[in-house]
């Protein structure tokens, strides 16, 4: 691999919430520039920025009205160029978010289409109602309600798999594909070295759109269709593929192993890696996100294991992550935010960073930030959360029951301003921010750097990945698959000369494992969050609540 994907760690910044340098309540590019020394300290290789292009912000920038301009609320093109240059000085590359499945209805393409220009009408899925007067298809928007809205004053409807202000682009049209490549090339020319492609596996809708029979089958109608691979190969060739040092990641909604392998197998010339989400659905009741049930560790273990093994065997590559701007903090879901906040944050970090793939750290994760303690629905701003709050009540939930569910699952949970210190607005801004801080301002960067141990722990994991081939290249094998508390695995190299054994206690109780003689050779502890080191693992290994331990040894030649 020319880009050494296994050695890199990528950090994600949600610009709206990172640091507000001009004190208008919205994070901005100059704010990020001010915080470069902090970012450099972590020793990450690249930063993925959520979109900061011109946008009405109906979906926080995923509704783009101009792909080539910085939205003035975030700064200027000069700020962006300065940001790229200054990050480069500290050896951090930039990854931008390409939202090419849809554009804002305020984009000039949509506006020209509305004004009657045929060329631009062909950029979208415009369809008449069915003969019986119903919408062109019975599909639902992923944010609630139907996936079709009326196209101006005409008799036509346009498709939107997301918000009604996010019109799906018709990739069958070669002009659309050309526009997509030109946008990528525009940013590539500005020194951008990474691209994240938003919901890229839904760009291949059929030409003939038909009704679905049920919600699961509905997704199949437009997800992972064979033509997506063709479009990606074409995009690769026409843009980022011309520079082999560029890293790409596709966000894959409801995908499967075979497709993900194909998207990320270097021999296919599509993408470098994929984000998949099955491991973050283990606290959904019967697949329903808007539910409130504890997570199932056995399902989580199996899911992580299957994605590790299948992708390795098929030649694919995983992006590894617990958090992003669409997810509540993993610490609230899989850890313990009270008694064992620090220890469980470290355990989650190690459990993920020692897997095979490229790890992503979401801003705030490295200081153990947690979900906000909001008490009213008015504190939430995300269109998806507000729609779900309504929909749950329409289904018969009381307002307080609906609120309790929204509170655990809202995307706003992780979009809260980064906590820099314990001053007002958590040091993010001097004015009221667009989204309130979490109410847990004692968790902040200043306190963490002064006396915390989570940030250091991340630094160490990042360094280890650069130094240890077992971590960057090794294969994965699940261990103790049936253990009810511990997620354990080993990493090994092709020649089987060395092994890394990893143990993660996902519970607040002590755990025990009986180790076979083949695990018990002299070696060294690479990672511990308990200060517990071994020269050789004991026969009965005892793990404290949320303990993580990684032990490396050479296998004696037999
Ligand atoms: C996935 C993005 O991560 C999410 O924030 C956005 O709402 C949808 N794609 C639609 O663009
Ligand atoms: Mg600002």
């Amino acid at each position: 691999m020319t880009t050494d994907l296994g050695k890199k760690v990528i950090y994600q910044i949600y610009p709206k919430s990172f640091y507000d340098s001009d004190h208008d309540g919205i994070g901005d590019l100059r704010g990020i520039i001010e915080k470069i020394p902090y970012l450099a300290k972590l020793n990450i290789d690249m930063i993925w920025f959520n979109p900061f292009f011109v946008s009405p912000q109906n979906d926080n920038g995923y509704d783009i009205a101009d792909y080539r301009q910085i939205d003035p609320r975030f700064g200027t093109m000069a700020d962006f160029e300065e940001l790229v240059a200054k990050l480069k000085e500290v050896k951090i590359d930039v990854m931008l978010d390409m939202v090419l499945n849809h554009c804002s209805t305020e984009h000039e393409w949509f506006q020209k289409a509305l004004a009657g220009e045929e060329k631009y009408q062909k950029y979208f899925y415009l369809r008449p109602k069915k003969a019986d007067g119903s919408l062109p298809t019975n599909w639902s928007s992923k944010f609630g309600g139907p996936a079709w809205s009326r196209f101006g004053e005409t008799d036509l409807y346009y498709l939107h798999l997301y918000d009604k202000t996010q019109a799906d682009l018709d990739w069958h049209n070669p002009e659309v594909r050309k526009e997509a490549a030109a946008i990528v090339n525009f940013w590539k020319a500005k020194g951008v070295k990474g691209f994240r492609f938003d919901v890229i596996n839904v760009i291949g809708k059929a030409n003939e759109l038909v009704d679905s029979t049920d919600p699961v089958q509905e997704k199949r109608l437009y997800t992972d269709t064979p033509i997506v691979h063709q479009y990606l190969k074409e995009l690769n060739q026409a843009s980022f593929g011309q520079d082999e040092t560029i890293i790409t990641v596709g966000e894959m909604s409801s995908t499967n192993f075979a497709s993900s392998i194909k998207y990320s197998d270097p021999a296919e010339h599509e993408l470098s890696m994929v984000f998949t989400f099955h491991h973050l659905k283990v606290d959904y009741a019967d697949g329903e996100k808007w539910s409130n049930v504890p997570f199932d560790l056995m399902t989580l273990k199996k899911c992580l294991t299957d994605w590790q093994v299948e992708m390795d065997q098929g030649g694919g590559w995983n992006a590894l992550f617990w958090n992003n701007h669409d997810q509540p903090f993993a610490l609230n879901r899989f850890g313990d935010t009270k008694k064992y906040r620090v220890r469980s944050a470290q355990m989650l970090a190690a459990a993920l960073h020692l897997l095979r793939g490229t790890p992503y750290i979401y801003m705030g994760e490295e200081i153990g930030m947690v979900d906000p303690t909001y008490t009213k629905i008015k504190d939430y701003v995300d269109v998806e959360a507000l729609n779900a709050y309504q929909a749950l009540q329409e289904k018969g939930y009381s307002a307080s029951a609906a609120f309790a569910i929204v509170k655990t699952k809202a995307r706003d949970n992780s979009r809260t301003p980064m906590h820099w210190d314990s001053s007002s607005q958590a040091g993010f801004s001097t004015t009221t921010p667009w989204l309130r801080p979490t109410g847990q301002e004692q968790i902040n960067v200043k306190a963490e750097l002064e006396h915390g141990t989570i940030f250091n722990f991340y630094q160490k994991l990042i360094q280890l990945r650069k130094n240890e081939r077992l971590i960057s290249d090794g294969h994965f094998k699940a261990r103790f698959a049936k253990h009810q508390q511990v997620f354990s695995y080993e990493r090994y190299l092709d020649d089987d000369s060395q092994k890394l054994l990893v143990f993660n206690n996902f519970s607040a109780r002590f755990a025990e494992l009986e180790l076979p003689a083949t695990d018990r050779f002299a070696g060294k502890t690479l990672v511990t969050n308990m200060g517990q080191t071994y020269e050789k693992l004991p026969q009965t290994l005892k793990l404290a609540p949320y303990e993580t331990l990684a032990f490396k040894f050479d296998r004696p030649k037999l």
Side-chain angles (χ1 to χ4, degrees), residues 48 50 59 62-63 97 99 102 143 162 166 196 198-199 251 324-326 411 415:
W48 154 30
N50 293 98
D59 185 22
Y62 282 91
D63 46 326
D97 212 320
V99 189
H102 46 262
F143 291 164
Y162 295 87
Q166 293 167 297
R196 179 247 187 207
D198 190 63
V199 292
E251 188 205 22
N324 69 27
H325 64 291
D326 292 330
R411 303 191 297 179
R415 297 178 179 184

Side-chain angles (χ1 to χ4, degrees), residues 188-365:
K188 177 171 163 269
K190 291 202 179 287
V192 171
K193 287 291 190 183
F195 294 97
R196 179 247 187 207
F197 293 98
D198 190 63
V199 292
I200 200 68
N201 62 334
V202 302
I203 58 175
K205 283 131 232 166
N207 249 328
E208 284 289 313
L209 305 179
V210 296
D211 273 354
S212 64
T213 49
D214 62 75
V216 174
Q217 186 255 355
E218 182 165 314
K219 285 189 189 156
R220 298 270 66 89
L221 289 175
Y222 57 72
T223 308
D224 286 334
T225 56
I227 203 164
V228 177
H229 297 288
Q230 186 186 314
Y231 293 156
L232 281 174
K233 285 181 170 61
E234 193 182 302
L235 182 64
N236 175 313
Q237 227 178 11
S239 62
F240 58 83
Q242 293 163 6
D243 175 349
E244 58 175 18
T245 65
I246 286 182
I247 295 179
T248 53
V249 54
E251 188 205 22
M252 302 303 171
S253 150
S254 304
T255 190
N256 53 40
F257 299 128
S259 307
S260 293
I261 288 167
K262 201 159 181 197
Y263 294 132
S264 60
D265 178 349
E268 295 286 338
H269 299 284
E270 295 184 13
L271 301 170
S272 318
M273 62 184 125
V274 289
F275 283 125
T276 65
F277 295 91
H278 302 78
H279 67 297
L280 296 177
K281 297 184 179 175
V282 297
D283 55 358
Y284 290 12
D286 296 325
E288 173 54 46
K289 163 168 170 168
W290 300 101
S291 59
N292 194 357
V293 294
F295 83 103
D296 178 354
L297 178 64
M298 300 316 276
T299 313
L300 178 66
K301 284 171 60 165
K302 175 153 181 8
C303 186
L304 291 170
T305 297
D306 289 349
W307 278 91
Q308 285 285 297
V309 173
E310 296 277 342
M311 291 290 271
D312 189 9
Q313 282 175 359
W317 193 254
N318 284 303
L320 307 168
F321 69 106
W322 284 127
N323 296 294
N324 69 27
H325 64 291
D326 292 330
Q327 303 286 333
F329 275 111
L331 201 46
N332 287 70
R333 303 167 81 171
F334 312 123
D336 179 334
T337 58
K338 303 270 163 7
K339 189 164 171 202
Y340 297 114
R341 184 183 66 89
V342 172
R343 210 192 285 172
S344 63
Q346 293 167 330
M347 184 281 290
L348 287 172
L352 189 95
H353 279 248
L354 300 176
L355 291 174
R356 177 180 172 85
T358 303
Y360 286 67
I361 301 168
Y362 181 71
M363 64 182 220
E365 180 186 325

Side-chain angles (χ1 to χ4, degrees), residues 9-13 18 35-47 90-92 353 360-367 418 445 448-449 454-464 466:
V9 177
I10 301 179
Y11 187 81
Q12 181 189 350
I13 287 186
F18 194 62
K35 298 295 183 185
I36 289 178
Y38 172 71
L39 296 164
K41 217 179 268 193
L42 200 53
N43 207 14
I44 35 135
D45 299 280
M46 185 174 264
I47 300 176
V90 292
K91 299 202 171 54
I92 298 177
H353 279 248
Y360 286 67
I361 301 168
Y362 181 71
M363 64 182 220
E365 180 186 325
E366 76 281 14
I367 60 166
M418 179 81 170
V445 169
E448 177 64 29
L449 294 183
I454 305 176
F455 187 90
N456 302 344
F457 196 82
Y458 272 88
Q459 278 178 318
K460 171 144 199 222
L461 290 171
I462 293 166
Q463 196 53 47
L464 273 175
K466 300 202 188 313

Side-chain angles (χ1 to χ4, degrees), residues 34 39 47 94 107 121 171 187 235 268 271 273 300 326 341 367 377 395 419 480 491 500 529 539:
E34 276 187 44
L39 296 164
I47 300 176
V94 168
H107 194 287
Q121 292 185 345
W171 278 65
W187 293 105
L235 182 64
E268 295 286 338
L271 301 170
M273 62 184 125
L300 178 66
D326 292 330
R341 184 183 66 89
I367 60 166
I377 194 70
K395 274 197 210 157
H419 291 181
F480 303 96
R491 303 289 309 278
L500 181 71
N529 60 349
Q539 190 175 342

Side-chain angles (χ1 to χ4, degrees), residues 19-28 73:
Y19 183 60
D20 178 17
S21 72
D22 60 356
H23 302 291
D24 62 352
I26 297 176
D28 40 62
R73 66 194 109 197

